[in-house]
Amino acid sequence: MATTSSSTKKVLELAGRKITLIGTAHVSAQSVEEVKTEIQSNPPQCAAIELDSARYESMANPEKYKDLDIIKVLKRGEALLILANLILSSFQKRMGQNIGVQPGDEMRAAIDAAQEKNIPFELVDRPIKTTLNRAWAKNSFWGKCKLLAALISSAFSKEEISEEEIESLKKENEMDSMMGELSEYLPKVKEVLIDERDRYLAAHIWECKNEYCDQAKSVTAILGAGHLPGVQRHLEAIAAGTETTDTEEISKVPPKGIGSKIIGWAIPALIVALIAAGFWFGGKKMGGQFVGSWIIWNGALAAIGTLIAAGHPLTILAAFLGAPITSLCPLVGVGLVTGIVQAFVKKPKVRDMESLSDDAATLKGFYSNRITRVLLVFVLSSLGSSIGTFAAGAAIVKELTAKIMSLFA
């Protein structure tokens, strides 16, 4: 086993095979040139690209978003997924604007260089939908809140990054520092976005084939620089026989645990029981007050969230009326109701489809684009309703406790 390495390139000799890992920054002009030069100067039998089929299709077909049906997205429960994807891609796009590089240009350059040399290429990354869904599913409630805060912060950040700062991201010490910060702030996100994908990438790089043999004898893999150490570690373990290339476990979204399902129904059941207790201990007056508290807290905060998202007045009304009901039924969320209402009263136009990726890069664009506004309405009305559920529950418990104590005093 032999290894030659630099900050952006690692050449591994493993089990009679040569695997070259090229680390890139995803909006780096220098990375674009590096991958082209590497593939043209040292043609491998196969090129491994850190893309999945969905991102490759988006790259090959930039007009893909024109076919987006926002109503179907809401019904499939993919609103948050689409929103996160838009925010992440727009953030990378803003980073590359100052140097004239688009996100994924280095991957596109690698594919173009491979095709020019008639070298087969394989897409070796895990589907982005699986990755984002796992990142969400594996986080606690508090972790989800922090993740949402990080996404919103990056969406509306106006920070500009210089070309020198982008290139520094490929240095191991800089990358180690960033990974350390991410691990401390969002350990589950780091586990899913980095650690799991290191393993997935390594397994699929190892499985790279060409038309002449089951395993290509020489492979050049184009990866984000942050994956180099982990992918190298996993490749060496696979070559040594201490690790397999089976990635089935990390290729699916973990099902909701029984605890989550119980909580999903337990909270509405508890609210109903508390309101019933109000009627029992305080009569119609207290029971009516509890019903009023539930409606006001839940409906008002959902409506405020919709208002912050610049929802249509009818959508705000739908949030106020729908939240107290949907909060008692885990099968339907108020976000689905408000999102569909917003999409009907402010139907997205062709222009919104055409400018979606550009509009998602600015705060003004987020609010002017009818598609992203539907997504904002979905998220913020849902958030408002969730806060309202706990606020109303706390208010009801406080009043009920005081009433019971006065009866037994």
Side-chain angles (χ1 to χ4, degrees), residues 265-281 290 328 396-397 400:
W265 286 101
I267 292 177
L270 178 61
I271 294 295
V272 171
L274 287 171
I275 292 174
F279 281 103
W280 180 266
F281 289 104
F290 285 4
L328 296 176
I396 291 172
V397 167
L400 183 61

Side-chain angles (χ1 to χ4, degrees), residues 157-168:
S157 171
K158 295 183 178 180
E159 181 183 2
E160 293 187 359
I161 301 178
S162 67
E163 185 172 359
E164 291 75 19
E165 289 173 314
I166 288 173
E167 295 304 327
S168 73

Side-chain angles (χ1 to χ4, degrees), residues 28 34 54 65 81 117-118 209 257 259 282 306 321 367 385 403:
S28 162
E34 284 176 353
Y65 276 122
L81 176 70
K117 292 282 188 179
N118 293 317
K209 302 175 177 64
T306 307
L321 297 177
Y367 276 91
S385 179
K403 179 64 176 177

Side-chain angles (χ1 to χ4, degrees), residues 337-402:
V337 175
T338 55
I340 289 176
V341 171
Q342 181 68 24
F344 271 117
V345 297
K346 286 289 185 178
K347 190 173 182 179
K349 299 178 179 179
V350 173
R351 188 210 73 81
D352 298 302
M353 305 290 185
E354 293 175 340
S355 61
L356 182 58
S357 59
D358 290 329
D359 288 342
T362 65
L363 177 59
K364 181 180 178 181
F366 239 95
Y367 276 91
S368 64
N369 189 293
R370 294 186 175 197
I371 295 174
T372 49
R373 199 186 307 178
V374 168
L375 297 174
L376 278 178
V377 163
F378 174 92
V379 171
L380 295 183
S381 62
S382 299
L383 181 61
S385 179
S386 296
I387 295 172
T389 295
F390 289 102
I396 291 172
V397 167
K398 182 180 178 181
E399 289 185 39
L400 183 61
T401 301

